Amino acid sequence: ETPMGWAKDYILTGEITKALDSTAGTDYVFTISVQGHGDYPSTPMEGYTPKIKVTNFPVAEQQASFEYYVNQTHEMDAFVAELIDALSKRDEKTILVIYGDHLPTFDITDDDLKNGDIYQTQYVIWNNYNLQIENKDVQAYQLSAYLMKNLGMKGGVISRLHMSHFDKEDKEDNEEYLSNLKLLEYDILYGNCQAYEGVNPYKITNMKMGYKPIKVLNGENAYSHIVIRGRNFTEFSQVEINGTVHKTIYNGPDELLV
């Protein structure tokens, strides 16, 4: 973890590759990294020695905060390099999309940024089989559809609406496109699903936490506790008995105590 208690990004490389290895077919893995999140320390932290030193920061009271952020970003950059290196060695066609969804928690304004917009972010698309994708400005909600279009995939009804818009993009079409998008979203969420001829094709399914199967092998009373033994428990595992969740002590991936 970082000194502020966030998980570091480098642990994600192994988790992503394990998720890819956990199934025989293709995978869609959505990964959220948190290392650079705030709040940031307002004064230098005891016992923390940053690799990069920041001096003469224009806002003196934020210098320690910015120095901390710069050093976390430095490690995040190293993670991206490690992840790309790991993916490039896999014998499987792989596409990696990287983007940020918000700026750090400093008093950043449009005037501080080269692109002049705090709501814009760069994105990167990397792949290991020389797929050529045009550099294009898109809305965040269009990015997956833009990627699928380049892959020759049709996608669902909303993705197909996005794809049809990419080929036009004049002002008049944009207004009609956004109106149709709103109408389509309403139809699927609250309407009669006319887009699917009245029958929503997506069914509720049972979901599970993580890519490793969690198994309970046995349980027994010992030393005023119930000892639950099994496989792939985590610090967030909780034991439920007859519908009641009990305070659970994580004693390792193979043992929980209640």
Side-chain angles (χ1 to χ4, degrees), residues 107-126:
D107 298 326
I108 298 173
T109 66
D110 289 347
D111 294 336
D112 296 322
L113 301 177
K114 186 176 181 180
N115 62 344
D117 189 343
I118 62 172
Y119 296 111
Q120 277 189 349
T121 182
Q122 293 182 331
Y123 69 94
V124 175
I125 299 178
W126 172 92

Side-chain angles (χ1 to χ4, degrees), residues 12-35:
L12 296 171
T13 301
E15 295 301 309
I16 291 170
T17 54
K18 288 174 186 175
L20 293 172
D21 291 337
S22 68
T23 65
T26 55
D27 300 275
Y28 177 91
V29 180
F30 190 90
T31 307
I32 301 174
S33 71
V34 295
Q35 179 166 354

Side-chain angles (χ1 to χ4, degrees), residues 1 3 5 33 44 68 79 85 115 145 197 206 236 243 246 253:
E1 294 183 346
S33 71
Y68 175 88
F79 152 68
D85 181 60
N115 62 344
E197 298 182 350
N206 291 323
F236 303 99
H246 293 263

Side-chain angles (χ1 to χ4, degrees), residues 40-42 52 54-55 57-59 61-73 104 106 108:
Y40 308 114
S42 56
I52 301 170
V54 172
T55 57
F57 193 66
V59 185
E61 58 270 23
Q62 290 187 349
Q63 180 160 308
S65 299
F66 192 74
E67 181 175 85
Y68 175 88
Y69 172 72
V70 165
N71 280 273
Q72 299 310 313
T73 304
F106 295 105
I108 298 173

Side-chain angles (χ1 to χ4, degrees), residues 93-194:
K93 288 183 177 181
T94 305
I95 298 173
L96 173 67
V97 180
I98 304 173
Y99 68 96
D101 66 340
H102 63 82
L103 292 172
T105 53
F106 295 105
D107 298 326
I108 298 173
T109 66
D110 289 347
D111 294 336
D112 296 322
L113 301 177
K114 186 176 181 180
N115 62 344
D117 189 343
I118 62 172
Y119 296 111
Q120 277 189 349
T121 182
Q122 293 182 331
Y123 69 94
V124 175
I125 299 178
W126 172 92
N127 67 87
N128 63 354
Y129 62 105
N130 296 319
L131 176 68
Q132 299 300 310
I133 299 180
E134 178 188 359
N135 180 20
K136 186 181 185 66
D137 289 345
V138 295
Q139 298 292 337
Y141 56 81
Q142 297 172 327
L143 183 56
S144 60
Y146 183 62
L147 184 61
M148 285 193 288
K149 181 178 175 66
N150 281 272
L151 293 172
M153 300 170 65
K154 290 183 178 180
V157 291
I158 289 183
S159 291
R160 291 201 294 274
L161 177 62
H162 291 323
M163 292 177 191
S164 68
H165 172 66
F166 294 142
D167 299 327
K168 302 174 184 176
E169 294 192 359
D170 55 61
K171 185 176 181 181
E172 185 176 333
D173 170 70
N174 190 59
E175 293 178 359
E176 182 182 6
Y177 157 67
L178 293 176
S179 175
N180 287 338
L181 178 59
K182 186 176 181 180
L183 183 63
L184 190 56
E185 290 171 337
Y186 180 89
D187 176 57
I188 294 171
L189 291 172
Y190 310 110
N192 298 320
C193 281
Q194 294 182 33

